[in-house]
Amino acid sequence: SHSQLLGGHFSLMMLVEIPSAENNNTTLEGLQDQLRKEVKGMSSAECLEAVDPRKVEVCPKIGFAGHFKLSGADNPGIVHKLTSVLAVNSLTIGNMKTSREEAPFGGTELFTMEGKSVAYEPLTSNFDWLKIKEELQEMGESMNCDVEFDDITKS
C-alpha cells in the first residue's frame, strides 16, 4: 500500500488480491460496495483490474524539475527548512547530496546541499517556480546561506 497527501486530499493506494469465488463479496464490485458502506467517506475514484501487478506500467511525467544548491554556515535544521519549502510547494526530492568542510578562516563548518527537485504532472494552477526560488532565497538569507534554484525541466 502507499498513501500520500495530494492536493489537500489523503490518497491511499493498495493492491488487493481477490480470489475467484461465487460469493458477491469477493468480486471487485463487492469489495468496492463493502468499502463504501463500512468506511465513512471512502470512495474509489478509479480501480484498475490487473491479473499481474508487474504488467501495470506506471510512468509519471515530470512537470517541473529544479536544481537547488545551498551553501553556508552549518545550522541545526537547515536541511529540514529547505526541504519544507520544497514540500509546501508540491516538490519532491529526486536526489540530494550534502557535505561539510572546515571554513578556511574562523573555525566554522561550511555546509553544502545540492540536488534535484521534481513536481509531477499535473502541476497545480498556482505553481510558480520563481516564487519558490524567492522563498528559498529568503530562507537562505535568514540563515546566512546562499541558495540557488534553477529550472532544469528541459535539460
Side-chain angles (χ1 to χ4, degrees), residues 12-146:
L12 175 69
M13 177 178 63
M14 61 184 149
L15 180 62
V16 180
E17 231 177 280
I18 305 170
S20 298
E22 294 176 16
N23 183 346
N24 188 39
N25 287 336
T26 58
T27 65
L28 182 60
E29 293 81 16
L31 179 64
Q32 288 175 321
D33 289 341
Q34 191 173 354
L35 281 173
R36 284 187 203 102
K37 290 176 190 172
E38 295 183 19
V39 182
K40 184 179 179 181
M42 175 66 83
S43 66
S44 58
E46 185 174 329
C47 281
L48 301 174
E49 190 172 351
V51 176
D52 184 352
R54 293 171 295 207
K55 292 181 181 177
V56 177
E57 189 175 330
V58 178
C59 297
K61 292 185 180 182
I62 294 175
F64 173 84
H67 177 264
F68 61 88
K69 182 176 182 180
L70 176 143
S71 54
D74 197 3
N75 292 293
I78 198 167
V79 172
H80 173 73
K81 288 180 181 176
L82 185 134
T83 56
S84 293
V85 171
L86 297 175
V88 165
N89 288 285
S90 304
L91 290 164
T92 60
I93 304 294
N95 59 53
M96 183 173 74
K97 177 176 73 170
T98 64
S99 62
R100 294 185 302 190
E101 63 183 79
E102 280 294 315
F105 303 103
T108 60
E109 201 168 61
L110 295 177
F111 179 78
T112 303
M113 176 170 52
E114 187 170 3
K116 178 181 176 183
S117 59
V118 296
Y120 295 99
E121 290 183 348
L123 295 175
T124 59
S125 61
N126 62 347
F127 185 86
D128 181 357
W129 80 272
L130 292 172
K131 180 182 103 10
I132 299 167
K133 179 178 184 171
E134 187 177 300
E135 286 179 43
L136 288 170
Q137 288 173 336
E138 286 174 9
M139 183 271 315
E141 287 174 13
S142 73
M143 300 185 80
N144 199 25
C145 296
D146 294 323

